[in-house]
Amino acid sequence: MTNGIDEKVRGAYEEVLRRSTGEVEFHQAVREVLESLGPVLAKYPEFREGKIIERICEPERQIIFRVPWQDDRGEVQINRGFRVQYNSALGPYKGGLRFHPSVYLGIVKFLGFEQIFKNALTGLPIGGGKGGSDFDPKGKSDSEVMRFCQSFMTELMRYIGEYTDVPAGDIGVGGREIGYMFGQYKRLTSRYEAGVLTGKGLGYGGSLVRTEATGYGTTYFVREMLAVRKDSFEGKTCIVSGSGNVAIYTIEKIHELGGKVVACSDSNGVIHDEKGIDLDLVKRLKERERRRIKDYTDYRKHAKYVAGGNIWDIPCQVAMPSATQNEINGKDAATLVKNGCIAVGEGANMPTTPEGVKIFLASGIAYGPGKAANAGGVATSALEMQQNASRDSWTFEHTEQRLAEIMKNIHRNCWETAEEFGAKGNYVVGANIAGFIRVAKAMVAHGLI
Ligand code: NDP
């Protein structure tokens, strides 16, 4: 089980397996980072002496709580809430909340662990954390979602604050949910503490570009990877899985940059539109009417819908997984490469299984792992915090310009770090090492805490 891991980090990984039985997504995320770190310990013995890897794998604090609420029929429902405050070496804990029935501690810890390195890569002063609940917002009325969010925040408010821990959205948590949670926090604390949550509405402290940031940022990252190969999005056939926040704004930016997205999906099926996805229609169905993606064919008769279909079977040159973890397995990765895919940019967190990652890396295509490629979302959350702290609001153009610069810097940092550590072109190694070194240096400076 520990094959392929450098002996200098093997002990840390064994401890993770022992302490977190059954948390398979967490094991996967830790292993993927540790596999890159052997050469770093050889270069920085102080990290080894200070047991930085062992400390970084163990969250600073894990909170699990009951979330009782009443549905529209008056029946009592109980969900479980989580917040993992993973690492505060670089700033207040920062990371989204996920509301999805699959959420359990192992998912929150995998996401929180990834978040530490992602946030470090942005170069901004934010630590890593993540949270959520096994609540399923799908099919719930607005009032039910509001009652759930209020109950969730009634407990979570004890642990968060603009200098402590600043949650945001993730799967199942968008502007509506953030609004209800912000309202409840304000009510309970009697404080208008705008910087306690990001992803807020534009009318009450939100930042322009935050909604678009993850999708736009991932697309910028892929633009940089293509530029290294003297290529661009112009005329490329692209596939974007999912049809939520990240997918929608990935499609928007790809279309702006001259690419054509021919397929998107949700957890029930796949839409294939050879003429190019009609994004206004997807926005209407998903953002405004909260409908399923299969309804797309009611309006675009030539498009095909395949219930339970596999989006990665559709040939493309650029693939942007933007739905969920482990959505591309080894077979899917092989199919993508065989069909001529030259670049993969992960909008979702850990969407490719370890077998899939190996295939992408061995094939020599441009592969941008989530913790680097999708860091634009949290980076723009940090820009929202800056605007809240200075009681200012920036223009769309200025904020988007900052986002584009940040993504360029992340790309350059990953590229140069990979080269420095003898893995030219391997963004996995570059992202893991560059993120880790920044956090590790701060941890050494803070002493044994
Ligand atoms: P949304 O809830 O807005 O959308 C999620 C999309 O993915 C939906 O189309 C959903 O379909 C689909 N999906 C979710 N779970 C599954 C599943 N188990 N199988 C198949 N499809 C699924 O979430 P986001 O767009 O915000 O997040 C998407 C990904 O991006 C996640 O991995 C998230 O962690 C990551 N991410 C998000 C950031 C953000 O700023 N929002 C920042 C960085 C990363 P359905 O409606 O059927 O469930």
Side-chain angles (χ1 to χ4, degrees), residues 96-102 110-111 115 118 130 136-138 168-174 210-215 218 241-248 264-269 286 291-293 321-325 327 346-351 370 373-378 381:
L97 298 169
R98 175 177 292 192
F99 292 169
H100 192 271
S102 63
F110 118 62
L111 290 164
Q115 197 80 44
K118 179 188 307 193
K130 199 84 188 189
D136 187 358
K138 237 177 270 158
D170 190 80
I171 291 179
V173 178
R210 177 59 190 94
T211 305
E212 296 83 354
T214 308
T218 309
S241 63
S243 49
N245 171 267
V246 177
I248 285 175
C264 65
S265 61
D266 64 17
S267 56
N268 296 120
K286 302 302 286 190
R291 288 163 66 181
R292 307 304 297 161
I293 201 65
S322 309
T324 194
Q325 63 276 357
E327 55 172 310
E346 296 184 339
N349 285 309
M350 206 169 75
N374 72 36
V378 74
S381 274

Side-chain angles (χ1 to χ4, degrees), residues 41 49 70 79 111 126 155 169 222 245 287-288 313 321 358 395 439:
L41 290 191
E49 284 151 24
Q70 232 171 355
N79 285 97
L111 290 164
I126 41 180
E155 184 62 25
V222 174
N245 171 267
E287 291 188 329
R288 293 197 287 283
D313 287 341
K358 274 196 197 102
T395 63
V439 182

